[in-house]
């Protein structure tokens, strides 16, 4: 089933790490949060790699260099090299280099990862909007210490007509203490001050997918992420399969309300899902007996049905995640090409989600 027509999560008899040759993994909210490894992430990645799966880390966070990211992953227990890390800083720097002459000055609003990526493309990062011959402004996540004055500097240049680029527009970013503002929040500040629109490179935009393909050479990739509007939509745009893990930004209710471009191929709790198959979600028509016969979608011990403006779960036990998969099928089928408006509170409450 293609992502364009998906009305239920997919199933796989083979474990995902054997069904796909390369995992294109998001980092924040998938592998770590606030710098600390998420539960089961390290063991799962080590096992997947040992069994032959290639791992590539695809992140919208433009703050750190690939070398720094790889060193961090290695410290966490997942031996990695810089060449396995693809960042939105690399994608936006390629985009800029294709539009301005070599050696052009670019106003940098961001961190070291973006600075290094610009230099790798033969561009010259500068700090002031008053630089003579300024060719572009680029904005990337600069960390929690990003000064308000840097956003003002970007606004001065953009208001003068300098082309504006953004590494990504993620409004939030997971941290050890919770959800914090991401680069997209800072981009909104400049947008409000200028009325302009940036060219965006990061997920879910095509430049990021292009950068990933160029650097990994993956033939059967599986995108693994925690965000519907970046990771999953990016997979949709690239027409590749995806696995949503519930360790980051997206919660169960948001998943049920996902529009077609935000519906993942597979859903699992965490990265242990890479090492297992995925259960089928089947149409329950003709399977049941008595009340509810011929209705809804079944996964494991659960059947989900749309009844009187709400999603209802039938079944007494089983893996709550199977219940969520069944609910996804009922919600997405009811929604069609839109977003499900059915009340899911009671059903999710039964699952503890």
């Amino acid at each position: 089933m293609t992502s364009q027509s998906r009305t239920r999560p997919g199933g796989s008899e083979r474990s995902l790490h054997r069904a796909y040759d390369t995992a294109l993994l998001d980092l924040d909210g998938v592998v770590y949060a606030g710098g600390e490894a998420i539960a089961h992430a390290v063991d799962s990645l080590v096992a997947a790699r040992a069994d032959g799966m290639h791992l590539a880390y695809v992140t919208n966070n433009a703050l750190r260099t690939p070398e720094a990211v790889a060193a961090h992953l290695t410290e966490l227990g997942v031996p990695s090299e810089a060449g396995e890390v693809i960042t939105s800083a690399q994608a936006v720097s390629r985009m800029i280099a294709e539009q301005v002459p070599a050696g052009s000055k670019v106003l940098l609003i961001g961190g070291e990862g973006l600075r290094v990526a610009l230099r790798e493309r033969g561009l010259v990062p500068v700090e002031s909007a008053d630089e003579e011959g300024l060719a572009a402004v680029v904005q990337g996540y600069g960390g929690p210490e990003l000064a308000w004055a840097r956003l003002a500097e970007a606004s001065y240049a953009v208001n003068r007509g300098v082309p504006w680029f953004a590494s990504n527009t993620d409004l939030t970013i997971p941290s050890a203490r919770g959800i914090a503002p991401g680069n997209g929040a800072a981009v909104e500040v400049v947008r409000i001050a200028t009325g302009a629109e940036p060219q965006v490179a990061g997920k879910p935009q095509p430049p990021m997918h292009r950068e990933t393909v160029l650097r990994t050479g993956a033939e059967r990739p599986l995108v693994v992420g925690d965000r519907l509007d970046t990771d999953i939509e990016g997979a949709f745009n690239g027409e590749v399969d995806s696995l949503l893990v519930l360790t980051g930004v997206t919660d169960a209710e948001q998943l049920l309300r996902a529009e077609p471009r935000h519906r993942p191929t597979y859903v699992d709790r965490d990265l242990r899902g890479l090492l297992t198959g995925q259960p089928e979600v089947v149409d329950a028509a003709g399977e049941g007996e008595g009340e509810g016969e011929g209705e809804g979608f079944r996964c494991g011990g659960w059947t989900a049905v749309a009844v009187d403006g709400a999603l209802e779960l039938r079944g007494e036990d089983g893996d709550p995640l199977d219940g969520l998969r069944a609910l996804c099928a009922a919600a997405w089928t009811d929604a069609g090409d839109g977003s499900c408006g059915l009340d899911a509170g009671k059903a999710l409450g039964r699952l503890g989600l």
Side-chain angles (χ1 to χ4, degrees), residues 63 141-147 173 180-181:
L63 179 60
Y141 183 64
E145 68 281 356
L146 178 67
I173 187 170

Side-chain angles (χ1 to χ4, degrees), residues 8-316:
R8 70 187 77 173
S12 175
E13 292 184 0
R14 301 176 65 193
S15 64
L16 298 185
H17 78 293
R18 291 174 178 158
Y20 299 89
D21 69 341
T22 306
L24 306 180
L25 296 133
D26 185 41
L27 288 171
D28 293 305
V30 175
V31 179
Y32 52 64
E36 298 298 321
I38 288 173
H40 310 294
V42 171
D43 289 346
S44 298
L45 293 175
V46 169
R49 168 176 275 166
D51 209 20
M53 188 178 215
H54 299 295
L55 306 179
Y57 302 95
V58 186
T59 177
N60 265 358
N61 192 327
L63 179 60
R64 295 191 293 173
T65 66
E67 288 78 9
V69 173
H72 182 202
L73 289 168
T74 300
E75 290 174 2
L76 292 178
V78 187
S80 305
E81 299 178 358
E84 296 173 308
V85 179
I86 301 94
T87 73
S88 63
Q90 295 170 324
V92 76
S93 295
R94 187 188 296 271
M95 179 188 288
I96 296 170
E98 291 174 343
Q99 298 184 38
V100 304
S104 291
K105 296 178 182 178
V106 178
L107 176 61
L108 168 65
I109 311 297
E112 186 64 14
L114 190 49
R115 186 185 307 277
V116 169
L118 289 170
R119 287 174 173 163
E120 287 178 347
R121 290 289 161 199
L123 302 169
V124 180
V126 298
E127 299 296 319
S128 173
D130 297 328
E131 284 277 352
E132 185 176 351
L134 190 64
V137 179
V138 63
Q139 195 170 350
Y141 183 64
E145 68 281 356
L146 178 67
W148 191 260
R150 299 306 298 152
L151 302 181
E153 205 68 27
S155 300
Y156 301 148
V158 174
N159 274 323
R160 294 170 190 166
V162 178
W164 179 28
F165 298 81
S167 64
N168 67 295
T169 52
D170 296 21
L171 290 174
T172 61
I173 187 170
S175 74
R177 296 176 60 192
I179 303 299
N183 189 55
V187 168
E188 283 299 310
V189 172
V190 178
R191 194 197 310 267
I192 291 167
T194 64
E197 293 288 336
Q199 296 185 54
V200 182
K203 298 179 286 186
Q205 302 303 322
M208 190 66 172
H209 182 72
R210 176 189 174 204
E211 191 74 23
T212 301
V213 170
L214 288 172
R215 290 179 180 269
T216 65
E219 296 181 359
R220 299 188 316 281
L222 178 69
V223 170
V224 184
D226 70 307
R227 300 184 69 107
L228 301 180
D229 60 347
T230 55
D231 306 313
I232 306 308
E233 185 176 342
F236 175 91
N237 290 339
E239 299 184 347
V240 299
D241 288 346
S242 59
L243 166 65
L244 178 80
V245 291
L246 300 174
T247 50
V249 168
T250 300
D251 62 24
E253 185 171 357
Q254 290 169 329
L255 177 61
L256 295 182
R257 304 197 187 285
E259 298 177 1
R261 62 200 169 110
H262 292 160
R263 296 171 186 169
T265 314
Y266 311 108
V267 180
D268 223 307
R269 291 180 180 81
D270 51 53
L271 284 178
R272 287 176 294 181
L274 273 180
L275 304 176
T276 67
Q278 294 286 313
E280 291 281 352
V281 180
V282 299
D283 193 326
E287 290 190 352
E289 295 182 0
E291 183 181 354
E293 182 176 0
E295 294 181 339
F297 297 87
R298 183 186 304 281
C299 186
W302 301 97
T303 299
V305 186
V307 180
D308 297 330
L311 289 170
E312 180 179 302
L313 270 179
R314 297 168 182 170
E316 298 300 328

Side-chain angles (χ1 to χ4, degrees), residues 246 252 255-256 267 320-329 348 351 353:
L246 300 174
L255 177 61
L256 295 182
V267 180
L321 199 60
D322 287 341
L324 178 59
R325 294 176 178 122
L327 285 171
C328 284
L348 291 176
L351 299 175
L353 298 172

